[in-house]
Amino acid sequence: MRFDQRHLLGIEPLRPEEITTILDLADRYVALGRSRDKHAQSLAGLTQINMFFENSTRTQASFELAGKRLGADVMNMAMQASSIKKGETLIDTALTLNAMHPDLLVVRHPQSGAVDLLAQKVNCAVINAGDGRHEHPTQALLDALTIRRAKGRLHRLTIAICGDVAHSRVARSNLLLLHKMENRIRLVGPATLMPAGIDDFGAEVYDDMREGLRDADVVMMLRLQKERMDGGFIPSEREYYHRYGLDADKLSHAKDDAIVMHPGPMNRGVEIDGTIADDINRSVIQDQVEMGVAVRMAAMDLLARNLRANPKTLSA
Amino acid sequence: MTSTLFTNARLIDPEGDTVTSGAILVEHGKIREILTQAAELSKLALTAANSDSVRIVDCGGKCLAPGIVDIGVKVGEPGERHKESYGTAGQAAAAGGVTTMVTRPDTNPAIDTPETLDFIRRRAADEARVNVLPMAALTKGREGREMTEIGFLMDAGAVAFTDGDHVVTDTKVLSRAMTYARSLGALVIGHPQDPGLSAGAVATSGKFASLRGLPAVSPMAERMGLDRDIALVEMTGARYHADQITAARALPALERAKANGFDVTAGTSMHHLTLNEMDLADYRTFFKVKPPLRSEEDRKALVEAVRSGLIDIIGSFHTPQDEESKRLPFEEAAAGAVGLETMLPVLLRLTHAEELSLPCLFRALSLNPAKRLGLACGRLAAGAPADLVLFDPDKPVVIDRFKLRSKSKNTPFDGARLQGKVLGTWVAGQRVYEA
């Protein structure tokens, strides 16, 4: 079992065996979460601060629950309402928090790279809970765990990632992770929502949803953010739903046992048909939420072990 | 009378495209004679040695070249003196072999009236020991709505007119300003960039920017901006210089404009010739420049364009920024890098890699910018001002940003191991820097 990271800033620096390490441990925490006594002591005595510079309900709740189940003291800071509004820079905020000696800092920020910047300035372990359009590593890990449990493996699968790839940190992290684990990845969506340089990503690109889903094992839908519709990326919601919304007809092109995923929150009737989302035979969307807590427990546990093994990085 | 004899030098002559051993005799601030024949040299050295009025500078076999004319230097006056003053910029320039700083008008307030221009000319005269030639804004407040008093500003000493990185989007305003400028023979400097496409972008679109999740612009935006400006040159007959060409895609448009005989020249920056987008790595904001760093293919194409002469001028685009404006998430961080002091050693990378010859480098650093602005300097020729830089192209140096003379330390080359050191700089025959 190897996990050599000090922070979890993205999927990019992880080796495949480190990903497997997180997922194996997360499997055990899934079992813990389903038992009557949900407590473990891996983070006992440690302080976890959740700093969310961008609104989030589910991710923050998931991190909070993960920390509490492992015995950490968890504090939530809603940064949007705080001193950042008073003109304090990100680095000053980081230094202020650092002085409180947290052990784990969970950060979400609307700007790509902001979490990397913050990680350079603090002594604790930093977990990226989503930075701009860059990465959202725990989402990709929870998706990987969901796939592995549903499909029995995490390699040589055909996985279609559909929708707003250009603006999605979820898509980037998933692409990196699934690529490292040697899967066949398809990116499906209108060309306006595909990032530049997409041809170099090692993925197949489709603008026709039915072709893109053909014989797929996994259909991963992305959330279409409302602001993209105003930005002129797509002509209208209804045209988008017609061409890229996941409905029974489009899904019928995937394998019969293909699973449907969505990172939430969903826009029913925009990127996904409500009945598909609720179909317990196809949709693993609720499983993803459960895996999210387990994966975050595993990631924080592993980072805490490295903190303890290397006291130099512990806040003195 | 005082004269100075620079002996035992390798003379870098961008005009003749030669490197020769020889000496230069300087009198009254001007180059009196270039001596390359052994017989002449020994005779002169003998006379000089016996004369009290001739100072001898032994160049020790190192390179002596015409001082650099750097178009596009930002000094923080007025408005941001805490980032750079004429004093500190002048010291940095002297230490970098830059003998003429051509300064940008994108200050606060913008240099758009003869009065502000006069203010900075006085500041420069008081504080800087190198030549300072100011540029003025093309439109009032650099807002792209009304042209400035181009005539008065020229009388006050403006050598060119530019709104810096503010693109004049209204083509009617720009065409009138260019027409008016043409009638006065004024040089208009544009920033070729389509403002719609490049809005909000901080990187060049491609795999790297996509993986980093940074808002990015296609290099095609530069081509579009250049095409538009060239069409306006064709329409108005203005003298036009593109401040920075940084993308391979823009080069054919530039080539066509020159082939068509338009009065068009182009520059590029030291950073785009020596760095590429991968240098941003994990969001290193000291590498954030405008336009953003490009691909390695672009960089190579730019070097070749400098070599062939398609790109005329290399500048540092010296842009001082304090720590506060750089220590921010990449998108929010200020763009720009200081370069006056590091430009020569950094660009010598290209000569060591045998991508450019020394005379070719100084054609782009000294001769061409001087010619474009109608200055007599920039050459090693009798009668030219004795603006000279003596440097050792092989001496290893390690850049330490905290030792830079600029008030701002935002160089992307901190810690870089380079080869090349400026040993001395002279302006009108007066020594302004000694290593």
Side-chain angles (χ1 to χ4, degrees), chain A residues 48 50-65 75-81 106-110 127-132 136 138-139 142 169-170 223 225 263-265 289 296:
Chain A
Q48 170 192 342
N50 297 333
M51 280 172 90
F52 279 64
F53 293 89
E54 199 180 69
N55 277 331
S56 157
T57 310
R58 49 184 66 216
T59 305
Q60 184 170 329
S62 182
F63 270 108
E64 184 177 353
L65 193 56
M75 182 169 81
N76 287 315
M77 296 189 67
M79 299 310 295
Q80 284 197 316
V106 178
V107 187
R108 169 169 288 190
H109 197 281
I127 299 178
N128 182 0
D131 65 322
H136 190 356
T138 56
Q139 178 71 42
L142 75 89
R169 55 196 174 210
V170 175
R223 172 181 164 76
Q225 292 176 9
V289 178
R296 287 167 182 132

Side-chain angles (χ1 to χ4, degrees), chain A residues 74-247:
Chain A
V74 184
M75 182 169 81
N76 287 315
M77 296 189 67
M79 299 310 295
Q80 284 197 316
S82 84
S83 51
I84 211 87
K85 288 263 184 256
K86 299 175 194 159
E88 188 176 66
T89 67
L90 180 62
I91 289 197
D92 285 336
T93 308
L95 293 177
T96 304
L97 281 181
N98 196 46
M100 299 179 192
H101 303 308
D103 304 286
L104 292 156
L105 207 52
V106 178
V107 187
R108 169 169 288 190
H109 197 281
Q111 303 247 354
S112 303
V115 184
D116 291 65
L117 177 68
L118 201 140
Q120 293 164 18
K121 301 291 163 191
V122 295
N123 300 320
C124 58
V126 176
I127 299 178
N128 182 0
D131 65 322
R133 312 173 188 177
H134 177 219
E135 283 228 47
H136 190 356
T138 56
Q139 178 71 42
L141 288 162
L142 75 89
D143 288 340
L145 185 62
T146 308
I147 294 169
R148 198 172 79 167
R149 290 172 69 103
K151 291 285 156 195
R153 67 175 195 273
L154 191 57
H155 58 275
R156 299 186 64 184
L157 293 167
T158 300
I159 297 162
I161 302 176
C162 310
D164 185 3
V165 177
H167 302 99
S168 173
R169 55 196 174 210
V170 175
R172 270 175 196 63
S173 288
N174 264 310
L175 187 64
L176 290 165
L177 189 152
L178 296 169
H179 197 67
K180 281 179 202 267
M181 306 313 278
E182 300 183 3
N183 293 282
R184 183 169 172 188
I185 302 158
R186 297 178 182 168
L187 300 174
V188 185
T192 46
L193 294 178
M194 285 294 154
I198 190 82
D199 297 335
D200 302 330
F201 276 64
E204 300 161 41
V205 182
Y206 292 86
D207 56 16
D208 183 299
M209 182 99 167
R210 288 176 181 82
E211 278 177 40
L213 294 195
R214 182 157 297 139
D215 296 326
D217 298 293
V218 177
V219 179
M220 196 178 270
M221 301 305 299
L222 298 171
R223 172 181 164 76
L224 185 74
Q225 292 176 9
K226 294 275 181 204
E227 56 265 32
R228 304 300 168 219
M229 293 169 216
D230 306 330
F233 289 91
I234 54 165
S236 70
E237 262 182 48
R238 62 181 192 178
E239 181 162 330
Y240 185 80
Y241 180 67
H242 177 69
R243 288 175 53 87
Y244 298 101
L246 185 66
D247 55 20

Side-chain angles (χ1 to χ4, degrees), chain B residues 298-363:
Chain B
D298 284 313
R299 188 195 71 80
K300 284 184 180 152
L302 293 180
V303 174
E304 172 54 27
V306 170
R307 197 199 57 75
S308 72
L310 178 58
I311 286 181
D312 308 86
I313 291 167
I314 303 172
S316 71
F317 294 87
H318 181 84
T319 305
Q321 300 288 5
D322 54 15
E323 303 285 309
E324 282 67 39
S325 45
K326 282 288 187 185
R327 292 249 178 267
L328 290 170
F330 197 85
E331 270 182 69
E332 287 173 25
V338 292
L340 281 169
E341 206 170 333
T342 50
M343 174 154 61
L344 186 54
V346 164
L347 289 170
L348 285 171
R349 270 188 183 174
L350 301 175
T351 62
H352 291 303
E354 295 182 354
E355 293 181 298
L356 292 180
S357 68
L358 279 170
C360 177
L361 183 61
F362 278 88
R363 185 179 68 200

